[in-house]
Amino acid sequence: MKILHISDSHVSDTDQFRKDPLKDALRELETGDFDLFIHSGDVTDMGRNEQFELAADYFDGVSVPRIIVPGNHDKRSGGLPLFKQTIGPAKGVEFIGEEAVVIYVDSAVNDLDSGRVGTVQFKVIKDTLNEYHDKSVKIVVLHHHTIPIPWTGKERNVLSNAGDLLDLFIKTDVDLVLSGHKHFPNTYKLENTLFINAGTVSDRKTRYGDTNSYNVILVDEEEITVQIKRYNGHVKTKNYARSRKNLFTEFGRRRARIAQISNTFISDSYRFREGAFKDGAQHLNELDPDLVVHCGGIVEEGIAKDYWFASSLLEEIEAKILLTPAGRDINYLGYQLYSENFGPLDQTYDLEGVYLRGISSAQYDSNEGVVGETERTSLFREFSGGGSNFQILFLHHNVLPIPHSREKGLLEDSGDLLRGAVDNEVDLILTGTSSHPFATKINDTVVANANSFSSVYQRSLYGNSFNLIDIYEKVVVVSEINCLWGTWRIMGMWSIENSL
Ligand SMILES: [Fe+2]
Ligand SMILES: [Fe+2]
């Protein structure tokens, strides 16, 4: 199956719109033996009638099956009815031959740049994916990106429920998730799902000195090939093997056991559950980890009383604890209290071939996190030199959207941090926001987020919990451990053979 994937044409009658690259892409479509044409939104620049008519002139001549979804720009100026009149339905399901199902989604909200997939549409997507689970190619098309995109500035205008969609796509083994919106091409593989972002095909607003581009995607039984074709003639090709579910028969020696806790919120208020903390600490000690990583949200506020209480309670945990702050930990006098009680903001540790590196992403009086360019550069220099170690990066803010929580793009530079970590041999990223246990693998990097260990604000169905991460020579296993009962729930097992 061969797909031409373009995005963000931003058709208008101004010179912001570049006709030639769009014509080039459409010319390839006519000569290239394609099975499917996909436009992942922002067809027009302002959602105006004359712009839709101009766009229809370009796309009406397409002779292969076509799917075009609206973007945020198409839903400006009340553009949705015009989109439907001139372009076609904004959402639906299409079948391409016997093999493929394409679910196309309207993720845009009238007059907003951020995206949302409402509960009704979410359910339709879920039901459709379940109904057609046996199709050999499952494709979802939506305008907004699900995973942070590098080199596109501040992480913003995201899908508010990106975490739920991400979770659904990987659980239902969607093969391709095709998006645009950020005007920069990018591909990640999560579990068995390729998340492919297209650049802008014809808008002058490109990012990072890039030029216009589009994607050619080839799907066969064994692999998926993604070609990013730039208007300057540069072509970047990447092959991704179509994975099968792994059966693990041999784990190898266990190299390390790490307990990951987060959002303890220690204080004397009702929001801190001392009972959950003490039960959790007891179960944690029984599991005898080599190390505990606290991903921030240690105290409820950065005040002396909370810090004193926290440093005495944390002594109940027998293993060595590494910590990284959340915003609340450094509020008020927290900045001072943190270093007095727990040491430096950025903590590192070497555990016989397993290297841990904390990075402080917190800011005073803000939920929003940032790592920053200087810090990122030195961080990745450090990681890229440590090939034979199992390398772990830990920070408070999330780098992937977390299910069951509203995606706020909490880490400003999550796109750049994620791309850098994945490309620089970070084997595991531990985060601790949004209090929902979640783990997945993106390219060769496992990402695990922890629930709240002891706060009333937690999101696990079974109550406060922590993560247990067992690193074997060939496999990494991430489990959620319930604080009260000590029961286990395996969240995932991933092969790490290739990355070591
Ligand atoms: Fe756009
Ligand atoms: Fe957009």
Side-chain angles (χ1 to χ4, degrees), residues 8 10 42 72-73 143 181 183:
D8 296 84
H10 287 258
D42 281 356
N72 51 313
H73 281 255
H143 179 61
H181 186 53
H183 296 203

Side-chain angles (χ1 to χ4, degrees), residues 131 190 296:
E131 189 175 347
L190 266 90

Side-chain angles (χ1 to χ4, degrees), residues 59-288:
F59 303 124
D60 280 354
V62 170
S63 57
V64 299
R66 65 169 221 198
I67 284 165
I68 306 180
V69 294
N72 51 313
H73 281 255
D74 300 313
K75 289 175 86 166
R76 291 183 179 175
S77 328
L80 185 62
L82 304 173
F83 180 97
K84 291 179 183 167
Q85 276 163 31
T86 51
I87 306 292
K91 52 190 163 192
V93 182
E94 282 293 336
F95 299 91
I96 310 295
E98 296 278 293
E99 306 270 283
V101 59
V102 187
I103 301 168
Y104 57 108
V105 175
D106 176 4
S107 62
V109 183
N110 288 335
D111 299 317
L112 282 188
D113 286 335
S114 53
R116 181 176 64 224
V117 174
T119 46
V120 175
Q121 202 182 185
F122 187 90
K123 187 173 182 305
V124 172
I125 300 167
K126 189 176 175 182
D127 292 347
T128 313
L129 284 168
N130 284 326
E131 189 175 347
Y132 300 106
H133 67 92
D134 56 347
K135 292 277 180 197
S136 61
V137 185
K138 295 184 279 283
I139 302 173
V140 175
V141 185
L142 76 171
H143 179 61
H144 291 81
H145 58 293
T146 324
I147 301 172
I149 305 295
W151 306 309
T152 53
K154 186 179 186 305
E155 181 57 13
R156 65 201 157 99
N157 301 341
V158 294
L159 269 171
S160 60
N161 49 350
D164 287 336
L165 286 158
L166 181 77
D167 193 43
L168 175 67
F169 296 155
I170 58 183
K171 275 191 183 134
T172 50
D173 270 341
V174 172
D175 298 278
L176 296 173
V177 177
L178 306 180
S179 311
H181 186 53
K182 285 292 238 171
H183 296 203
F184 197 81
N186 186 71
T187 305
Y188 278 125
K189 187 172 184 207
L190 266 90
E191 312 289 329
N192 301 332
T193 306
L194 269 188
F195 289 79
I196 303 176
N197 224 67
T200 164
V201 67
S202 51
D203 190 15
R204 278 192 194 277
K205 192 180 161 193
T206 55
R207 301 275 189 177
Y208 202 61
D210 200 8
T211 185
N212 296 107
S213 65
Y214 59 92
N215 300 335
V216 172
I217 304 161
L218 269 161
V219 185
D220 69 27
E221 257 171 59
E222 296 298 319
E223 63 178 12
I224 298 178
T225 307
V226 184
Q227 280 189 320
I228 299 166
K229 294 195 153 185
R230 290 188 157 86
Y231 188 54
N232 58 14
H234 185 265
V235 181
K236 186 177 165 191
T237 305
K238 276 208 104 174
N239 296 312
Y240 297 88
R242 294 190 72 184
S243 12
R244 292 159 195 88
K245 296 275 181 200
N246 276 325
L247 270 180
F248 297 110
T249 51
E250 205 196 326
F251 281 28
R253 180 183 62 91
R254 194 171 81 195
R255 301 177 69 177
R257 164 169 278 187
I258 292 166
Q260 178 194 11
I261 68 176
S262 189
N263 290 339
T264 41
F265 283 14
I266 295 168
S267 74
D268 56 10
S269 88
Y270 74 94
R271 288 176 289 267
F272 169 58
R273 300 184 63 218
E274 194 174 344
F277 184 96
K278 292 196 160 163
D279 291 337
Q282 189 196 323
H283 290 300
L284 194 154
N285 290 336
E286 284 162 8
L287 292 164
D288 194 21

